[in-house]
Amino acid sequence: MEQSAQRLGGWSHPPKEASLGVQEICNQVRKEVEAKINGGKQFGQFVAKFYIEQVVAGLNYRIRVQINDVSLIRMQVFQGPMLDGVQAPPVLGDVAADGPLNDKPF
């Protein structure tokens, strides 16, 4: 069994390649991200590339998302726990331009 290099309450490391689940979280907050940093205009792409996570009363994610052929953004999203079998929608936190694709993941 693979052990994660994560302390209680700390962020997971090393960064992981984004999964389909992380992409789905990104898809759910996309319009809000575009409104915050792109004047409501759609990005050419919106592809989750890397993420780290923090276990809290749910999960915090820091995700790097490719928005065009050369640039990334970084965003933080909270995903609360399932309650009565229902998953609450993700809550967008900070969003910022991040830099070129060839930067280190985090």
Side-chain angles (χ1 to χ4, degrees):
M1 183 190 305
E2 184 178 323
Q3 294 271 335
S4 173
Q6 182 176 3
R7 295 181 310 201
L8 185 59
W11 290 94
S12 62
H13 283 285
K16 302 172 192 171
E17 288 190 30
S19 64
L20 291 176
V22 170
Q23 180 64 53
E24 179 56 32
I25 290 169
C26 292
N27 293 345
Q28 292 179 49
V29 298
R30 179 177 180 161
K31 288 189 184 298
E32 190 176 353
V33 171
E34 290 169 338
K36 276 189 171 185
I37 66 170
N38 203 33
K41 293 184 275 182
Q42 285 190 333
F43 293 115
Q45 301 175 27
F46 204 75
V47 180
K49 300 303 273 184
F50 301 99
Y51 74 101
I52 56 176
E53 60 190 2
Q54 178 187 43
V55 178
V56 291
L59 285 170
N60 281 322
Y61 292 94
R62 288 185 180 159
I63 308 168
R64 290 188 78 189
V65 178
Q66 183 175 353
I67 57 169
N68 58 38
D69 290 340
V70 296
S71 300
L72 295 166
I73 60 168
R74 183 182 311 238
M75 62 184 188
Q76 186 162 321
V77 179
F78 172 72
Q79 180 68 71
M82 289 187 84
L83 299 174
D84 296 326
V86 177
Q87 183 68 63
V91 177
L92 181 65
D94 293 334
V95 180
D98 195 32
L101 284 174
N102 58 358
D103 277 355
K104 294 180 182 177
F106 285 91

